[in-house]
Amino acid sequence: MERKHLWTVLLLLAMACFVLPASSDNLFRIGLKKHRLDVNSMNAARVARLQDRYGKHVNGIEKKSGDSDLDIVPLKNYLDAQYYGEIGVGSPPQKFKVIFDTGSSNLWVPSSRCYFSIACWFHSKYKASKSSTYSGNGESCSIRYGTGSISGYFSQDNVKVGNLVVKDQVFIEATREPSITFIIAKFDGILGLGFQEISVGNVTPVWYNMVGQGLVKVPVFSFWFNRDANAKEGGELVFGGVDSKHFKGNHTYVPLTQKGYWQFNMGDFLIGNASTGYCAGGCAAIVDSGTSLLAGPTTIVTQINHAIGAEGVVSMECKTIVSQYGEMIWDLLVSGVRPDQVCSQAGLCYLDGAQHVSSNIRTVVEGETEGSSVGEAPLCTACEMAVVWMQNQLKQKGTKERVLEYVDQLCSKLPSPMGESVIDCNSISSMPNISFTIKDKAFVLTPEQYILKTGEGVAAICVSGFAALDVPPPRGPLWILGDVFMGPYHTVFDYGKSQVGFAEAV
């Protein structure tokens, strides 16, 4: 069996994991540590990975750090791109470093029977024979990711998360990890915190069993990511509520619109103080702790990268559209042709009945095929982006010549195939803020927050925190709010009330 995930570009950060001892407040914290970014590792370890809950201030949810009914797991931070902590599987517990991933729902760790994958040589392996609580299952399974897959079989054992012991948890013993991603990763496996709807094999997730076995009094967990590059502590994952010392003010909660991922409706998206117009009518968004960057529609990511001066791959198809079809697109828009029909009338896309179809934009959600922003019909994709850009400029009453010049500049800022874009570190102070509107409130990201920087002086490298991902309607347009967003904003996942909440992190 196979489960396809949404993935965004994830810069893997090499981290060392530690677990803080249980304190008098009986909270279990998974601590995160940060490591300086290794350029060679960054280039070798881009993991494509994309895998939704709250509303106002919730009575009974906000807990003090001294409350005894919270289980706090300290997290480690690898280059602001990978947060993981320690769990134990079996009796006695065999220790593993795992990504706590709200974008997936299965737990998997390497198996002692993983003989032929190099990645298993570098990570801890589960030995069923060493556990007195092991129970066999043996059903084969696999999970496919953007840059590789893992496969193995189901087993059952106790799983210790912080001070909590989840009994009889079904998990995957991975016997094959063919991707280079897993070779250089600092984590051993993944513990999914998504919904059972996206669980491979319909396995009951660890979090469900925590709630079902009465291990937490309040069906809520929350993340705090420490983005201070010099801090020893990387962050915390709290089960059973929130730790009030990691945020200020009240959380803004928004209800989930779909279960599977932690998905909700997001409002307008602004570059500086200017609306892009793309999400003015609303966009779907997913909060994903297992994704390092912010992923969104190529059309908007390109505009962001243009605004901040990020250099991506130059798309010749895009420039061809501007030079050969730009005036035609302009004339069709001015004449009142519906934007979703312009490219078909220009002969660059086709109509499937009454619905416009772009063959190169596909979704990887709910079992559909994987897609990319540049694919089977590049001229169609480029035309679609040009229409959005031109339509927005038309609203601002730009002249045809200036609009075509602007679109040509955007073409030069298209992200590279893996979605990453590099910027000049010296220009960070002059970059605009980027804002997401959630429940009519603006959540602002400053340049210092959405740019990943490593090194100093001439050795400094700065990477845009925005990556391209195109998911068409009705599922999309879709934003994946990864660690770049969860760093500045403490995030609460309310399983009981089907909502997710955000407050300024401290």
Side-chain angles (χ1 to χ4, degrees):
M1 59 187 70
E2 173 179 285
R3 209 252 314 157
K4 296 191 178 179
H5 298 246
L6 283 176
W7 287 82
T8 188
V9 174
L10 175 63
L11 300 179
L12 292 182
L13 311 173
M15 302 160 65
C17 179
F18 71 100
V19 177
L20 296 180
S23 59
S24 58
D25 60 13
N26 293 320
L27 301 182
F28 184 80
R29 296 174 173 80
I30 295 179
L32 303 177
K33 287 186 181 289
K34 296 181 185 244
H35 291 245
R36 293 296 180 184
L37 184 61
D38 182 329
V39 177
N40 293 325
S41 295
M42 182 185 74
N43 291 333
R46 297 185 180 99
V47 178
R49 205 179 111 53
L50 290 179
Q51 310 260 122
D52 325 319
R53 227 156 169 142
Y54 263 32
K56 231 354 187 150
H57 192 78
V58 178
N59 293 330
I61 297 301
E62 305 297 340
K63 302 289 183 180
K64 301 298 183 181
S65 60
D67 287 352
S68 61
D69 57 350
L70 300 186
D71 191 59
I72 303 179
V73 182
L75 302 175
K76 291 189 181 294
N77 174 10
Y78 178 56
L79 299 177
D80 285 343
Q82 184 183 101
Y83 292 83
Y84 63 83
E86 187 176 270
I87 66 169
V89 181
S91 302
Q94 300 172 38
K95 295 181 179 180
F96 297 93
K97 293 173 287 186
V98 297
I99 297 289
F100 290 90
D101 178 21
T102 60
S104 66
S105 299
N106 291 88
L107 167 62
W108 68 264
V109 295
S111 172
S112 60
R113 295 185 179 181
C114 183
Y115 304 121
F116 303 110
S117 294
I118 296 176
C120 291
W121 301 352
F122 296 95
H123 295 95
S124 300
K125 295 188 285 289
Y126 171 76
K127 301 177 179 65
S129 62
K130 300 293 185 181
S131 174
S132 62
T133 48
Y134 164 77
S135 178
N137 180 303
E139 182 181 356
S140 62
C141 57
S142 65
I143 301 178
R144 185 173 182 178
Y145 298 99
T147 57
S149 63
I150 65 100
S151 59
Y153 56 89
F154 289 116
S155 290
Q156 181 175 299
D157 209 334
N158 292 351
V159 174
K160 184 177 182 182
V161 183
N163 290 328
L164 307 178
V165 177
V166 180
K167 295 182 178 180
D168 302 323
Q169 175 66 47
V170 177
F171 66 101
I172 298 172
E173 286 193 54
T175 55
R176 287 185 59 82
E177 299 178 30
S179 173
I180 190 175
T181 294
F182 301 117
I183 297 176
I184 61 177
K186 296 301 177 182
F187 61 89
D188 302 311
I190 292 176
L191 191 156
L193 291 171
F195 292 88
Q196 191 165 355
E197 282 82 348
I198 59 171
S199 174
V200 171
N202 197 35
V203 168
T204 303
V206 173
W207 167 246
Y208 279 48
N209 282 329
M210 280 188 185
V211 176
Q213 295 176 19
L215 300 179
V216 292
K217 292 184 179 179
V218 181
V220 169
F221 61 89
S222 55
F223 278 92
W224 169 64
F225 289 156
N226 191 347
R227 305 294 275 186
D228 181 355
N230 298 314
K232 180 179 180 181
E233 186 177 17
E236 285 183 356
L237 166 58
V238 178
F239 291 105
V242 304
D243 190 334
S244 58
K245 72 175 180 287
H246 290 316
F247 66 91
K248 61 182 179 181
N250 295 329
H251 286 83
T252 295
Y253 290 104
V254 59
L256 299 184
T257 55
Q258 288 193 47
K259 287 187 177 180
Y261 305 103
W262 291 84
Q263 182 171 330
F264 63 97
N265 284 331
M266 184 182 76
D268 203 2
F269 185 85
L270 292 81
I271 301 176
N273 296 318
S275 168
T276 62
Y278 198 79
C279 290
C283 282
I286 290 170
V287 192
D288 186 0
S289 61
T291 293
S292 63
L293 306 185
L294 270 160
T298 301
T299 305
I300 304 303
V301 170
T302 301
Q303 288 181 275
I304 295 171
N305 285 335
H306 174 264
I308 68 177
E311 297 292 339
V313 173
V314 177
S315 170
M316 296 309 296
E317 291 84 3
C318 186
K319 288 184 171 289
T320 297
I321 288 294
V322 177
S323 62
Q324 297 185 15
Y325 299 93
E327 292 194 12
M328 180 190 299
I329 295 172
W330 172 275
D331 292 339
L332 288 171
L333 285 172
V334 170
S335 67
V337 175
R338 283 174 43 187
D340 62 349
Q341 295 182 345
V342 167
C343 295
S344 59
Q345 290 199 22
L348 296 168
C349 299
Y350 66 91
L351 287 173
D352 181 8
Q355 186 174 2
H356 176 243
V357 176
S358 172
S359 62
N360 69 299
I361 299 182
R362 303 176 186 271
T363 178
V364 297
V365 182
E366 306 300 340
E368 297 179 42
T369 56
E370 296 183 38
S372 66
S373 54
V374 181
E376 299 167 0
L379 291 182
C380 177
T381 300
C383 178
E384 290 174 327
M385 291 190 291
V387 167
V388 174
W389 295 334
M390 289 187 187
Q391 184 184 21
N392 192 45
Q393 292 297 304
L394 270 173
K395 294 178 181 178
Q396 300 180 32
K397 303 186 184 304
T399 64
K400 178 168 64 175
E401 290 73 19
R402 288 192 176 185
V403 170
L404 291 178
E405 181 181 356
Y406 172 71
V407 173
D408 186 74
Q409 292 174 353
L410 291 182
C411 287
S412 299
K413 303 299 182 182
L414 283 171
S416 67
M418 286 296 290
E420 74 279 3
S421 296
V422 180
I423 62 105
D424 180 2
C425 294
N426 294 322
S427 63
I428 291 179
S429 60
S430 62
M431 294 179 186
N433 291 337
I434 305 296
S435 302
F436 294 83
T437 303
I438 300 174
K439 207 171 184 182
D440 298 323
K441 179 178 179 179
F443 287 81
V444 180
L445 296 179
T446 65
E448 292 76 15
Q449 292 170 334
Y450 64 72
I451 296 296
L452 300 181
K453 180 180 179 181
T454 180
E456 299 294 338
V458 295
I461 293 178
C462 292
V463 179
S464 169
F466 295 90
L469 172 76
D470 290 308
V471 178
R475 183 77 179 198
L478 182 69
W479 284 91
I480 283 68
L481 307 184
D483 300 344
V484 167
F485 184 86
M486 291 178 66
Y489 294 103
H490 181 271
T491 307
V492 181
F493 297 83
D494 187 346
Y495 174 77
K497 296 188 177 181
S498 295
Q499 56 185 4
V500 63
F502 309 98
E504 186 176 349
V506 293

